[in-house]
Structures are given as structure tokens and as C-alpha cells.
Amino acid sequence: MVNRDMSPHAGSDRVAVQPSSPEVEAWLSNVATVATAAQQGDVAAFERLYQMFAPMVHGLLLARLPLYEVDDVMQDVFFTAFRQLPALREPAAFGGWLAAIARQRSADFFRRTHQTEPLDAASGITSAVDKRLDAQLDARTVLGQIRQLPETYAETLTLRLVEGLTGPEIAAATGLTPDSVRVNLHRGLKLLRERLGLPSGQNWNADSK
């Protein structure tokens, strides 16, 4: 049973809203409108938030949890968000706030179980991994190596390569700046290439555009 009492409080958003491009600003404006409607009891608006942020939450959890736990924990993240949403002070910060809940739920899982993931089930994500990855690389190997990277890089690479989000979409959804996303992708890919033994010049086209 998930311990719901350890959820981040809605007033403690750890990611500031930092619009830095017209695309991100437009996204945040839309998020603020939809989140405000959801706070006022509009169930359809919360369903829209689910549609907008499900790939982000799935990617953050996939970077951390055993694959067989991801879907259940994802549902718990959104349940927690639904329950705590009226207390969210900045509707435009919904993405960063939701990401904090997802990270907290991941930490809760490992506090409860102290389990590690063998990654045997990771072959099931083969079709979701970016098609531009080298065809010789097994998706299980790639995901396993991504999950061993520093957390910031693992999150960003999972959102880009597995969930298929663009750099601006990652920035808008998580509250990171586009520059931070670009740095995370660049450094994360460099480390990943080294781990996989790929030439540093190999282009995966996983940049932020």
C-alpha cells in the first residue's frame, strides 16, 4: 500500500516557473488555465492535465522504478495530485509540482521494498525507444545504462529517447529551462555513448529541437 502521507506539499514546489521562450510561455499559460479549472472542480480539465503530463510522469518513473511498478505508481502520482491540487498556489507550476510528487513516490517505493530491478522486462520498451538510436543497440541495454547515469541526466534522456518528448516539451513539462534541458541532453548523451562504447561523433539526433 502506498504511503500517501509522505507526499510533497503543494506549497513546496521545488521547480520555479521559468518561461524563457514563446513556446514554453504558451505552454505554461495553457497549463495555468487548465490547472485553474481543475482546481475549481472541473474533472474534464484534470483529465486534460493527465493527457498533457502522463508522458513526463511515465518517463520520470521509468528512469527509477522496476518496469512492472511504473503504471501503478503513475496512477498513484495522479491520484495524489488530484487530491492535493486545490492547495497548489501557482497553477502554471503544475508540471514541476507533479514531477516532485513522482520523484517522492519513487523514493517511497525504494524505502518500502529495498528492491533493485533486473531489467529483464526492459525489452518490452524496444518499440518506444527513439528509432534514431543505433539499430545494433538493444533497448534493454540502453535503458539499463541510462538508469545508471546521474539522476538529472537519466530523467532527461528517458523523456527524450523513450517517451519521445522534444527538448522544449521537456522544459515546459518539468519546469526546467530549455538551456538546462540542452545541457542535460548533451552531457547525458556523452556519458551514455561512453558507457555503450560508441564513438563520440555518432549523431543520435537527440537534441532539444
Side-chain angles (χ1 to χ4, degrees):
M1 184 72 176
V2 174
N3 178 6
R4 305 184 191 280
D5 294 333
M6 299 184 68
S7 306
H9 190 275
S12 61
D13 309 344
R14 63 179 263 185
V15 181
V17 177
Q18 300 177 349
S20 56
S21 73
E23 185 175 359
V24 172
E25 288 186 28
W27 166 271
L28 292 176
S29 177
N30 186 39
V31 169
T33 299
V34 178
T36 298
Q39 284 182 314
Q40 296 170 351
D42 187 335
V43 176
F46 189 81
E47 291 174 353
R48 174 61 180 151
L49 289 174
Y50 182 93
Q51 294 168 356
M52 294 167 70
F53 288 96
M56 179 199 73
V57 173
H58 189 269
L60 294 182
L61 298 177
L62 187 62
R64 291 171 165 77
L65 297 177
L67 296 182
Y68 57 83
E69 292 288 344
V70 168
D71 288 344
D72 286 345
V73 176
M74 180 172 167
Q75 295 304 314
D76 184 69
V77 168
F78 278 99
F79 174 84
T80 300
F82 180 79
R83 185 165 55 86
Q84 296 187 354
L85 186 58
L88 179 63
R89 293 178 298 186
E90 259 191 282
F94 178 83
W97 175 74
L98 186 65
I101 294 175
R103 295 182 183 107
Q104 181 66 62
R105 283 290 171 264
S106 298
D108 290 346
F109 171 82
F110 285 108
R111 274 195 291 267
R112 291 195 314 274
T113 64
H114 303 288
Q115 294 177 345
T116 57
E117 162 74 359
L119 291 175
D120 290 342
S123 58
I125 67 148
T126 302
S127 61
V129 175
D130 193 302
K131 294 180 181 179
R132 289 167 293 189
L133 287 172
D134 190 303
Q136 299 299 315
L137 297 177
D138 182 81
R140 177 177 54 189
T141 301
V142 174
L143 180 59
Q145 293 297 331
I146 287 174
R147 292 170 71 169
Q148 293 179 45
L149 296 176
E151 183 177 282
T152 300
Y153 302 152
E155 285 186 359
T156 309
L157 286 180
T158 302
L159 293 175
R160 178 67 186 95
L161 299 178
V162 181
E163 300 299 329
L165 300 182
T166 66
E169 287 172 342
I170 295 170
T174 62
L176 295 172
T177 65
D179 283 344
S180 294
V181 172
R182 280 191 288 271
V183 169
N184 290 347
L185 287 173
H186 176 75
R187 294 179 179 174
L189 282 171
K190 184 174 184 289
L191 291 174
L192 184 58
R193 288 188 186 103
E194 292 173 357
R195 286 179 173 273
L196 295 171
L198 295 176
S200 59
Q202 182 162 346
N203 181 17
W204 284 359
N205 291 320
D207 60 27
S208 62
K209 298 181 180 179

